[in-house]
Structure formats: C-alpha cells, structure tokens
Amino acid sequence: MDFDEITQVTLINCIIRYYLLNNDYEHARNFLSKTKYTENISTNEDARHLYYVGRINCIQMNYSEAFIHLTNSLRKAPEKVGGFKSYVQKLLIIVELLMGDVPDIKNYITVDTCHKLKPYLSLLKSVKQGNLHEFNNSLLQNEKVFISDNNYNLIQRLRLIVIKIGLRKINLSYSRISIKDIAEKLNLENEKEAEYIISKAIRDGVFLAKINHDEGYVQSMVILHLT
C-alpha cells in the first residue's frame, strides 16, 4: 500500500476536522470543493471523511445528502473507535427528524450505545409527540450533552418540526379551534406567534385551513402532509 496515499487522506481529514472544530464550515466546504479524496485507502479514514461531509451538508440544510453520507459513514465505522460510531448515530437521528422522518431506533440501539443515545431518544420522543413543552425540557435537561456533541444549534432547528407535528395532531382532533387555544396547546409565547406559525404551516401544506383573523379561529379542511 502506498503510504503517501494514507498520509494524504489522513491529512485531508485533519484539515477538515480543524475547520469543523472551529465552526468554520464555509472554509471546510471550499476546501472540499478543491480537494480530491481517494476512497478505499483506509476504511477508518473513509468513515471519518463521510461523517465530516455529512455534517457540513447538514449545517447547510442539505439533509438528503447528509443522510446518505452519514449512513455510509455508519456502515464503514469500526465497532470500537472511542465514541465515533455514537457521534454518527446521534447526527443521523437529528438529520432524519429534520427531513420529517421518524428514525427507526432499532437501527441504532445496542448495549454499547443505549446509554450514549439516551438524551437523543428523549428528544425523539418529544418530536414524535409534537410536544413543544417536552421538547424544551429535553433541550434544557440535556443542554450540556448537546453542546458537547456540537449538535445544540442543529437540534434547535427541530422546534418548527415539533410545532408542525403538534399542528397536525390538532388538525386531526378539531375542525375548528381558536388561535388562543392552539397557542396554549403548543406552548407558544402568544397568539401573534401562533397565528404566524399557522399561516406558514398552511402555506407549507401541513394542512388546508382558513384563518378567520377577525374572530381569531382556524377552520381546518383537508389534511395533506408534514414535509
């Protein structure tokens, strides 16, 4: 095996890692665009490279691309390299949620990873329920873990997903409901915020509805989708 090739792929990953540790995603992206990474030189380095590229794509909201790279990273990741595999799994859970999908926990949970993924399982539960109160509690209780994993800002993006799921559940239960009641059920700060979010959800196709601004209620119609 050519040791120059091993050195090259390792150096590329070290440079990208340096940029990511400094949250300099723009330089990391530019570096990637000007660099040719040679796969199949080292499985370990491939796994790391795919993880880094997946994280960059996630930050840039290219969630489908991020999912592909992270899935491949997880496939190539060695069973025992510190906590690397769990880092990939944590980010994958977030990416799937940001895509509007529900992760299959069976793909992630093992005896070794169960404890490490516990904060993320709590997060997943609150998102699936569309419960903003529980989501905020999970964010608060596990803040140090999420910050340490460098995932805190990404997780904050899930707030809108939680609200959309909550709105969809409300839409299933009520054909007509006041904006005030929606604000209370979703644990939003005020009716003005609720009205803005409902309007956006209608534009995004979460459900078909009409807002009666004068009387302050929402009349739901046909349910569409969550994406």
Side-chain angles (χ1 to χ4, degrees):
M1 184 178 290
D2 190 336
F3 285 98
D4 286 342
E5 290 181 322
I6 295 177
T7 301
Q8 185 180 46
V9 297
T10 302
L11 181 59
I12 288 172
N13 280 342
C14 285
I15 293 172
I16 298 172
R17 182 173 183 270
Y18 171 79
Y19 284 135
L20 298 189
L21 286 174
N22 288 278
N23 292 317
D24 193 349
Y25 288 90
E26 187 62 28
H27 277 98
R29 184 186 64 81
N30 289 336
F31 176 74
L32 277 173
S33 68
K34 298 174 182 177
T35 305
K36 183 179 179 180
Y37 181 89
T38 306
E39 292 189 27
N40 300 321
I41 301 298
S42 166
T43 303
N44 288 2
E45 293 302 329
D46 284 354
R48 289 185 175 87
H49 188 75
L50 289 163
Y51 170 72
Y52 295 151
V53 175
R55 176 168 283 279
I56 292 168
N57 274 292
C58 184
I59 293 295
Q60 296 178 332
M61 299 185 182
N62 300 322
Y63 300 129
S64 295
E65 287 295 318
F67 178 78
I68 292 171
H69 284 98
L70 292 170
T71 300
N72 287 332
S73 174
L74 191 61
R75 178 173 55 84
K76 288 196 171 190
E79 288 300 321
K80 294 183 180 180
V81 182
F84 175 76
K85 196 166 186 177
S86 68
Y87 277 103
V88 181
Q89 292 172 320
K90 291 170 183 177
L91 189 54
L92 257 174
I93 289 172
I94 296 170
V95 168
E96 286 197 69
L97 289 172
L98 287 169
M99 291 170 65
D101 297 332
V102 178
D104 186 351
I105 296 304
K106 291 184 292 184
N107 295 332
Y108 302 109
I109 291 296
T110 65
V111 175
D112 295 329
T113 61
C114 186
H115 176 70
K116 294 176 182 177
L117 294 179
K118 188 175 180 180
Y120 290 82
L121 299 182
S122 170
L123 182 74
L124 171 60
K125 182 180 178 181
S126 67
V127 175
K128 285 173 64 177
Q129 292 176 342
N131 191 321
L132 191 60
H133 178 70
E134 289 300 320
F135 173 78
N136 290 334
N137 281 344
S138 178
L139 200 60
L140 182 63
Q141 292 171 5
N142 301 296
E143 182 177 2
K144 291 182 179 179
V145 174
F146 295 149
I147 290 174
S148 176
D149 291 341
N150 202 24
N151 288 331
Y152 186 79
N153 290 337
L154 285 173
I155 290 170
Q156 287 184 312
R157 295 182 188 177
L158 289 170
R159 181 176 185 270
L160 186 57
I161 300 293
V162 176
I163 292 172
K164 283 184 176 183
I165 293 173
L167 279 173
R168 188 178 185 183
K169 288 180 179 292
I170 289 172
N171 190 51
L172 286 168
S173 302
Y174 302 90
S175 60
R176 173 172 166 169
I177 184 172
S178 71
I179 295 173
K180 180 181 179 181
D181 285 344
I182 292 176
E184 290 177 355
K185 288 180 180 296
L186 294 180
N187 198 37
L188 300 174
E189 292 184 3
N190 51 60
E191 292 178 47
K192 186 176 181 180
E193 182 189 12
E195 189 168 346
Y196 169 78
I197 290 172
I198 294 165
S199 297
K200 188 177 187 309
I202 292 172
R203 290 196 303 271
D204 291 346
V206 176
F207 56 83
L208 286 179
K210 290 182 179 180
I211 300 177
N212 187 313
H213 298 281
D214 294 332
E215 298 186 28
Y217 69 82
V218 176
Q219 183 73 49
S220 295
M221 297 165 65
V222 180
I223 301 170
L224 290 180
H225 50 76
L226 184 59
T227 56

